Amino acid sequence: MTAKHRPPEVSTWMKTTARPLGDLSTNNPEKFADYWQKWWTSSQPLWRRRLGISPMPRKDTGKEGMEELRYAGRNGLYVYVVSLAMWASAKKPTRSSDKKLEHAVDDLTWALSCLNAARRKHPRDETNEGPEPANKR
């Protein structure tokens, strides 16, 4: 996951050890929205990356096409979800930032559904064969 264009509030939150969720917010939702959209766009597959075009194109990708977003762990897609909560908790929301937030939530939801659909189409899921995934501990 790229740090380029990441909203500064998200970077600050990521640097804290405990990563508390209680006080997530931004004081400037318009600026946060601009950062977030560039950050999200920069993490997308090439076929979706058209800076300045919103909403980004969508297609039925099946198993291919969204691998760039498959991040696990506390620095993975979870950070995008938390950042949307931060944006939604803005202290001075504007009509424009709320509309951009609505589009961002919709696009992240779509991306997650693509990843989930691709996971369900994995050959091992269909045959119940193959090695078990290793546990990380």
Side-chain angles (χ1 to χ4, degrees):
M1 177 171 49
T2 181
K4 188 176 181 181
H5 304 297
R6 182 187 298 142
E9 298 92 333
V10 176
S11 294
T12 300
W13 176 79
M14 289 180 73
K15 290 176 187 172
T16 61
T17 306
R19 294 190 179 181
L21 296 175
D23 189 30
L24 293 175
S25 190
T26 179
N27 291 321
N28 189 337
E30 286 295 328
K31 192 172 181 179
F32 190 94
D34 291 340
Y35 272 112
W36 195 94
Q37 287 177 315
K38 289 176 185 172
W39 178 44
W40 176 244
T41 300
S42 69
S43 71
Q44 299 299 303
L46 273 175
W47 63 268
R48 293 198 79 206
R49 267 189 246 159
R50 294 190 202 165
L51 289 175
I53 296 176
S54 183
M56 284 186 282
R58 295 179 179 181
K59 64 181 180 181
D60 182 13
T61 61
K63 250 171 79 171
E64 293 78 35
M66 299 299 284
E67 294 83 10
E68 288 90 342
L69 290 177
R70 194 172 295 283
Y71 300 110
R74 64 188 249 160
N75 292 328
L77 281 171
Y78 169 73
V79 176
Y80 288 103
V81 174
V82 169
S83 67
L84 290 179
M86 192 178 284
W87 184 356
S89 300
K91 293 185 177 20
K92 297 175 186 172
T94 65
R95 189 173 304 187
S96 173
S97 69
D98 281 352
K99 192 68 174 166
K100 290 176 184 176
L101 174 60
E102 189 178 306
H103 288 296
V105 169
D106 180 59
D107 201 62
L108 179 62
T109 302
W110 175 82
L112 289 170
S113 70
C114 287
L115 291 170
N116 190 43
R119 184 191 60 78
R120 278 191 258 130
K121 290 180 181 178
H122 192 279
R124 187 182 171 281
D125 292 342
E126 293 171 8
T127 63
N128 271 341
E129 295 175 7
E132 288 291 321
N135 287 335
K136 286 187 176 181
R137 291 224 179 219

